[in-house]
Amino acid sequence: MHAAGGQTFYAEGRALSERAERFTMPALALRVAAALIPLLIAGTRLTSHAGEASPARSGRQAVSISIVERAQIAREDEFVSFGLPIPKQWDVKRAGQLRLLDRGGKPVPADIAVLARWGGPPHDPDSPAKWVLVGSLQTVPAGGSTVVILDASGPGPQSPRRIAVSSPAAGRIAVNTGAAVFELRGGQEFNLIEQVTIGGKPVLEPLGSREAVQYLPAGQLSLVEGGKTELKPRRVQAVWERNGDLCKILKVTGSIFDATSRPLLDFTARLRFVAGRSDLRLDFTVENNHPIIAGEDGQPTNAHRCGAVNSVYIGSLGLRFRLADRNGPLRAFTEGNESVGSPPGRLRLYQDSSGTQHWNAYVGQVGWDDQKQSAHPRLQSYCSKPGFEISATGAATKSGRQAAGWLAVRRGDQGPSLVVAVRDFWQNFPKAIDASPDGTVTVDLFPNGGRFRHNLRVGEQKTHSVLLDFTSASADSSTAASRAKAFNRPLVGLPPSEWCVRTGALGEVPPVDRARWPLYERYVRTAFEPNPGFDPARDDPNYGNRTLRDVIEHYNLYGWQDYGDVPLDFEAFGPNQAGQFNLKYWYTYGMLLQFCRSSDPEWLDLALPAASHLADIDILHIPDAGPQHWAHGAYFGHSEHDEPGNVNPNRNANSPSVDLFFGVPDLLLAYCLTGDGRYREAALEAPESMIRMMEFSELAHPIFQRERANMIFGFLEAYRATGEKRWLEAMRRVVAATTDLSNKPWVTDPSAYGKSHPGEFISMFSFSQVVWALGKYLDFCGEYGLTDDLHAAEAIRAYADFLLKFARREYAPGRATTLNAFYPDGSEADTYLEINNWALLMADVLAYAARYSGEKGFLEAAAPFYATGTIDPVWQDDPPVYLASKDLVNSLNWGLVYMNQSLQQRPEKARPAAPAATPPRR
C-alpha cells in the first residue's frame, strides 16, 4: 500500500490511496476554479489572460484576478482590495506603472500601492515591487464573480468619483465621498463621527467625546491598583494610513476615560471611507497600555493572570451615535423582523454565548471526572444563555442561537437612517447593540461586564470591526439584514494560485497538485473539509473525520478573547475543554501559504481571524513610551504543557520566551495580502522583544535549539519589511553562531562529542527547524544579492550529512524518520521515533541541502521522510484524518520545500547516490 522512496515514490504517490479519484473540491471551490484564468508562462515573463482581454496574446505583462461574491448578496460599487505578488522581472518601481482593467480590457480607476519590494524595503524607490495592494469599486451578482486584470501598462485612469478632504474649521476634518460628507472633530474632543451630511441634511446629533466612547466599570471593579500606572492621556493624533482616490483610511489614536476623567484605556480607531458611498467601516481597537511590573528576577509579575495589577475590568464599552431628531418619530428594528415604533425603552440585541452545540463547555465544573475545577475567570465560564436574545423595554421578545449582529434606526418615513452591524458578532461574544428612545445607537463591545468580568491585561488589546451605514432614505429590515450579511462576508479577490507561486514572492512553495501529492493535499484541507480518503471500513471510525473548524466548535474556542485561535486539543483537560494553542509554529503563516497556493478563500476564513487574534492577544504590546522591558512586544506561545488557559487565557506562565517566538512572518504576510496596517504594526513590535531576549540565548553552545529558527525567520522578515540594519545584524549574529562548525564536532563525530558531554542530546525537530531557517536565510541572500559569507550552504550540507549518517531511521520500506532526541553518547535514553509529520520538516532540510549543495542525492534521500510525513502524519498507521491542531500546523508549513524542489529537479533525471546511512539501531 505505501510508497517506496526515491524515484518510484512519485509514481506510487498516486497509488497510496486507490480512492484518489474521489477527492473533490467543494462546489464553491469548483465555481471559483472555473472563474480563474489559466496562466501562461513564457520564458521569464509571467502572463495570465482573461477572456476578452487576452493579455497573453498581446504579449503584455498581466495577471487576471477573480472577484468572488460568497454571501449571496448582489454588490453594487463595493470597494474590494487585495494583496498581489508581482514578479521581479516586471521591474515595477512605481505604483503608477500598474493599471487595472475590466474583463473586457477597458482600464478602470483603481487605488494601487506598493506594500513590499524585491531586495529592498517598501520605501526604496529603486527596488522592484514585490507585493502591491489593489483596490477598486466592483459590481458583482449574488453568488457570482467577475474578472479584473492587472497589467504593467499604467498609469490607469483617474476616477470621476474621488474622495475630497478639507478642513472647514480649525480642528475639523471633512471627508466628502460624493454620497456623504463625514465631519470629524480633532484633538481631545474626538467623538468618532461629529456629523454626516447627505443631500445637505444632517444625519446625526453630535455627542461629546465621553458620550461617544463610554466606559463603565464592572460594578466595583475597574483599574486593579497596586503598582505604578500610566494615567496621562494619550494625545489624540490623526494620520492618513491609506490615502487613495477611492479609499482613504484615517487612523486616530487617543484615550478612553472613566467617569472621573481617568484615562484608563487607550484606543486606535481606523475609519475607512469609500468614494461614492455613505457608509464606512470603523475598526476600533481597545488597548491596555499600563506598564508591566518586573519582579526581582526581571520577569513580569502582572502580565499573565486575569485580574493582575494594572489590568482593567470593563463593565461596558459603548461606541455611540445619535440619529438627528427630525422628520417624525423613531423606529428601531433588528433581526427576526423585530421592530419598535416610538419605543418607550431600548431595543436590545444581545449575544450571550457562541450559540454552538457546545456553548456551555466551560460553565460550572470542568475537567476529567477525577480532576474537576472551576473554569473561572475564563470568559466562556460566565455564559448563561445558548445564544442571543432580543429585548424591548427590558422584556425578552425573541431568542436564537447566532445573531448576524445588526440593528437599525430611522426617523419617520423620510428621515435619516442608520444601520449598524458588527463583524463576527456571535463569534466575539458577548456583544450587544442597543437603540434608545432618543435615537442613540450603542455598540457595546464588552457588555454585561458585571457578570463576565471582562479583564484587559497589560499589553493586551482587542479590535472590532463595525459597519456604520448612513442614508437619508428610509431603511427597512430586509435592507439592513442584507447590508450586515455582506459586511460579514466581503468580496474577495482571488489571483490564480500558480501566479502567486511562480512569482517567487512566497519562496519555496509549490502550487496545489492533487494528482502528484494526493495524501498531502487531502490532509491539509482537513482544516475545513473532511478527508474523502477516509474509509471507515478500513480506518478506525472511532477517530471520526472531523476538521479544524469542527474542533474549534467542539472546544468552544469563541468569545472576544479566544476567537481566531485554535485549541490545545492534543492536551485537552476535559471531554471538550482545552487551552489555547496561541497559533504556535507559524500557524497563521501556514494558513496564508495554503491560501496562496490554492486560491481557496476558505483558508482566509480561518487565517484572517487568526491574524487578528495574533495581532491583538498574542503579543504583549509596547506602550507609547516605547520599550521599557524585554517583555514588551513579546509573543505568548503555548509552552506549559497541559495548560487549561482558564485563569491566564492565551498567556502561559512561562511565556514569553524567545524559544517560542512566532508570529512575525505570519502578520507580515497577512499585511501583504490585505494591506491591514494593524498586522504590520503588531509584527514590528515583536522584534523589539526578540532583540532584547537574545541575551538569554546561548548562541555559543555547540548544540542549538529552535529559538534560533524563530529569531532567524523573525529578524529576516522584519528586515524585509523595514530595511532597518539592526534586524539584519541581529539575524547575522544568530546565523553566524549556527553555521560555525568549528565548535560542533558532533556533526562529524557524535560519539567523541558524547564522551565529553554525557547526557546531552539533540532535539531533532528543533535541529531541523534551525537548519530549515538557514535555508530561508540563503533564499533571502539570493533575493538581496548577498554573498554567503557566513557559509550557510556549507553548514546546511554538513547538517544534512549528519542527519543521514547518524540520525536517520528507516522504520518501514520507503519511509524514514529520526529519533525524537539524538544522544551523541550513544545512550539513546529517548528511543521514541518521530513517526509523524515532523518528517516533512526533515524532508525540507534535505531539499534545501540539495538546492544549495548541488547534490541531488539529498533530494532523493528526502523522499522517504516526505513519505512518512504524508502517510503517517500523527503516528504510525494512523487514520488519514484531522487528529490535533499541532499535527495540522506542521503540514501547513513543511513539506513545501521538498515538493517545490522536486518540481524543479525532475524525478526522471539521474541523481547522485544519497550519503550513506548507518543501519537503524535496535
Side-chain angles (χ1 to χ4, degrees), residues 540-832:
D540 189 341
N542 291 318
Y543 293 104
N545 193 6
R546 298 188 299 178
T547 68
L548 174 62
R549 189 178 284 158
D550 296 334
V551 170
I552 288 172
E553 180 172 329
H554 180 78
Y555 288 98
N556 197 34
L557 221 67
Y558 297 105
W560 68 262
Q561 275 189 319
D562 285 349
Y563 178 54
D565 201 355
V566 299
L568 196 66
D569 52 351
F570 52 94
E571 293 179 356
F573 64 89
N576 61 335
Q577 295 132 15
Q580 304 87 0
F581 194 53
N582 279 45
L583 301 161
K584 184 181 166 187
Y585 295 125
W586 304 292
Y587 221 126
T588 309
Y589 187 79
M591 291 179 186
L592 293 172
L593 285 184
Q594 297 297 332
F595 164 70
C596 290
R597 63 185 296 268
S598 69
S599 289
D600 191 329
E602 298 230 38
W603 286 109
L604 291 182
D605 297 339
L606 289 167
L608 295 185
S612 294
H613 183 279
L614 214 169
D616 280 341
I617 305 295
D618 293 339
I619 292 176
L620 186 62
H621 293 280
I622 300 172
D624 291 353
Q628 301 169 2
H629 184 274
W630 62 263
H632 282 295
Y635 175 88
F636 286 98
H638 150 68
S639 54
E640 285 199 327
H641 290 287
D642 299 306
E643 170 61 63
N646 293 334
V647 300
N648 57 333
N650 305 106
R651 290 192 169 186
N652 296 279
N654 58 350
S655 283
S657 163
V658 74
D659 179 54
L660 293 162
F661 216 112
F662 306 95
V664 176
D666 313 58
L667 290 174
L668 289 174
L669 181 55
Y671 169 70
C672 287
L673 284 165
T674 65
D676 192 325
R678 290 185 306 133
Y679 299 152
R680 188 175 192 275
E681 284 181 358
L684 295 179
E685 289 180 38
E688 299 286 355
S689 175
M690 292 175 69
I691 205 165
R692 287 165 175 77
M693 281 200 240
M694 285 181 70
E695 64 184 87
F696 304 112
S697 300
E698 297 182 275
L699 293 180
H701 198 279
I703 292 178
F704 43 77
Q705 301 300 324
R706 65 184 171 194
E707 62 188 30
R708 301 192 192 197
N710 305 336
M711 289 189 287
I712 293 170
F713 199 6
F715 286 140
L716 184 155
E717 294 299 340
Y719 179 72
R720 275 190 169 129
T722 64
E724 291 187 28
K725 289 186 178 180
R726 57 186 179 138
W727 306 137
L728 178 63
E729 291 167 355
M731 174 178 62
R732 284 176 56 82
R733 279 181 57 197
V734 183
V735 171
T738 308
T739 58
D740 180 5
L741 300 177
S742 65
N743 70 337
K744 300 177 179 61
W746 53 266
V747 174
T748 54
D749 192 352
S751 60
Y753 180 86
K755 289 177 182 177
S756 59
H757 298 78
E760 279 202 30
F761 66 90
I762 300 169
S763 167
M764 289 308 299
F765 80 87
S766 295
F767 161 89
S768 298
Q769 281 185 54
V770 176
V771 183
W772 172 78
L774 290 179
K776 285 195 165 290
Y777 167 75
L778 285 176
D779 294 344
F780 163 82
C781 289
E783 176 185 342
Y784 279 73
L786 303 175
T787 59
D788 181 19
D789 60 327
L790 300 179
H791 309 290
E794 178 185 338
I796 290 176
R797 187 193 186 287
Y799 293 139
D801 274 335
F802 163 79
L803 189 155
L804 294 176
K805 292 177 180 177
F806 303 108
R808 175 171 59 177
R809 301 292 183 269
E810 294 179 340
Y811 69 96
R815 283 179 280 168
T817 188
T818 68
L819 290 167
N820 173 61
F822 177 86
Y823 284 78
D825 63 8
S827 64
E828 291 194 3
D830 184 351
T831 58
Y832 176 75

Side-chain angles (χ1 to χ4, degrees), residues 288-527:
N288 181 343
N289 287 326
H290 293 298
I292 63 168
I293 299 171
E296 293 181 359
D297 57 359
Q299 301 295 315
T301 62
N302 66 330
H304 295 91
R305 295 171 68 95
C306 291
V309 171
N310 286 353
S311 66
V312 177
Y313 284 97
I314 305 174
S316 170
L317 186 63
L319 309 181
R320 307 174 77 234
F321 309 88
R322 185 171 296 157
L323 208 59
D325 187 7
R326 60 180 176 84
N327 295 330
L330 182 76
R331 175 165 288 277
F333 44 101
T334 188
E335 305 187 24
N337 292 317
E338 288 297 309
S339 66
V340 178
S342 301
R346 71 178 181 180
L347 177 66
R348 179 177 175 87
L349 171 66
Y350 168 67
Q351 182 85 34
D352 189 81
S353 69
S354 66
T356 66
Q357 178 184 352
H358 302 288
W359 68 271
N360 59 349
Y362 303 93
V363 176
Q365 294 291 300
V366 297
W368 305 115
D369 288 341
D370 58 343
Q371 299 174 348
K372 292 291 186 181
Q373 59 179 298
S374 170
H376 292 332
R378 187 173 181 145
L379 180 75
Q380 299 96 326
S381 69
Y382 298 108
C383 295
S384 65
K385 300 179 178 66
F388 72 88
E389 179 180 271
I390 299 171
S391 59
T393 64
T397 60
K398 184 170 290 187
S399 62
R401 286 287 185 167
Q402 295 169 340
W406 64 269
L407 185 146
V409 290
R410 74 171 186 236
R411 291 286 185 185
D413 293 329
Q414 301 299 321
S417 301
L418 169 60
V419 177
V420 173
V422 178
R423 182 169 289 170
D424 297 333
F425 186 81
W426 66 264
Q427 294 94 328
N428 280 298
F429 76 85
K431 286 289 167 285
I433 312 178
D434 301 343
S436 299
D438 65 354
T440 301
V441 176
T442 301
V443 179
D444 197 343
L445 305 178
F446 300 92
N448 204 3
R451 172 154 55 86
F452 278 92
R453 299 166 63 92
H454 305 293
N455 188 250
L456 210 64
R457 292 163 288 185
V458 295
E460 195 167 31
Q461 61 186 40
K462 178 64 183 181
T463 303
H464 295 87
S465 293
V466 180
L467 170 71
L468 301 170
D469 191 356
F470 301 93
T471 177
S472 59
S474 74
D476 56 28
S477 291
S478 176
T479 302
S482 294
R483 294 293 295 118
K485 190 174 181 181
F487 180 63
N488 271 286
R489 209 134 169 93
L491 295 176
V492 60
L494 299 177
S497 58
E498 189 149 344
W499 168 270
C500 291
V501 166
R502 294 296 175 87
T503 63
L506 299 169
E508 290 284 342
V509 175
V512 166
D513 190 336
R514 295 183 177 89
R516 190 180 188 93
W517 317 111
L519 296 187
Y520 177 88
E521 305 294 7
R522 287 178 174 183
Y523 178 74
V524 294
R525 289 179 65 84
T526 61

Side-chain angles (χ1 to χ4, degrees), residues 863-880:
F865 287 93
Y866 178 84
T868 291
T870 54
I871 297 170
D872 295 322
V874 184
W875 61 73
Q876 190 170 6
D877 300 322
D878 56 1

